[in-house]
Amino acid sequence: MLLVIIFSFIGSIFSLIGGLLLIGSKKSAKKLAIYVTPFAAGALIAAVFLDLLPDGLSASSTNNVLTGALLGIVGFFYLERFLNWFHHHHEHSENIHQQRPVAMIIIGNTLHNALDGVAIAAAFLVSPSAGIITTIAIAAHEIPHEIGDFGLLLARGFNRKKVLIINVLSALAATFAAILTYALGNNHQLPIGLLLGISSGFLLYIALSDLIPTIHDSYDNKKLFDFKPLLLLVGILVVAVMVKVAGRFITE
């Protein structure tokens, strides 16, 4: 339980780096998002296919895990479609977010953070290494996500101090959700395979519907070389190496 609390809290606070940078320098925050977004996309995809899904399949039946993944993808599609709580970073959705009530922005961010906490706890229920890898992948994604949240609230007239307090409290939802999920799962009150499948669907949906379109939207065809696809591969390789190293420690 202590590891879950520590890493979910670290992930929550680490994710605020982008927002804090935005408060200090909008130019620096945007530059950070350019680098972190493709890396986060690769890290999330690798965490799903190299860590969460294999762990889920080893803990439960294939049907349970894949059903969970399907539920995760479809469920979060409908949440985005009807509640509009995801915070996309690509340009065509900026006007939509500018029209959203402030309460919906805060509630959406809090719910998103809580789901991150569920995914982290589900991974820790399998092994500490799975939990740490998932935390790193989620934290990388949360940096550009928080830049968007901070920017939206600042644009609505909130002062910097109030925006920081709101986002810190919202980020703590991840820790609370992680503790609750881990406590229930540790008492065998949650179907771990299904939970890992749902978490995989959630993270995969973020990577494919949010982060990767952002990479495409920011493509400049005037440049001879675009480094963003390379950073996506770096994210995949970093997680792959971490999974491999963690696997060796477990087998030894």
Side-chain angles (χ1 to χ4, degrees), residues 72-93:
I73 293 171
V74 175
F76 297 120
F77 163 77
Y78 281 106
L79 279 173
E80 178 188 22
R81 181 66 180 83
F82 294 112
L83 300 181
N84 194 26
W85 61 275
F86 263 119
H87 302 277
H88 288 271
H89 315 294
H90 30 287
E91 294 176 0
H92 64 76
S93 60

Side-chain angles (χ1 to χ4, degrees), residues 128-227:
S129 60
I132 293 170
I133 291 168
T134 302
T135 301
I136 291 171
I138 287 175
H141 150 65
E142 281 296 326
I143 291 176
H145 172 82
E146 292 297 335
I147 289 174
D149 286 326
F150 271 69
L152 284 171
L153 292 175
L154 288 170
R156 296 300 181 87
F158 282 73
N159 61 50
R160 295 179 180 183
K161 182 179 179 180
K162 187 175 288 187
V163 169
L164 180 60
I165 292 172
I166 289 172
N167 279 276
V168 167
L169 293 175
S170 179
L172 291 176
T175 302
F176 177 78
I179 293 171
L180 181 61
T181 302
Y182 189 82
L184 292 174
N186 219 23
N187 291 324
H188 307 291
Q189 296 181 23
L190 293 175
I192 302 304
L194 185 67
L195 189 60
L196 285 170
I198 292 173
S199 298
S200 298
F202 165 57
L203 298 179
L204 191 61
Y205 186 86
I206 291 172
L208 298 182
S209 76
D210 189 358
L211 300 181
I212 287 181
T214 302
I215 300 170
H216 287 313
D217 288 346
S218 61
Y219 174 64
D220 185 358
N221 55 15
K222 294 180 182 179
K223 291 185 178 181
L224 294 176
F225 175 74
D226 186 8
F227 63 87

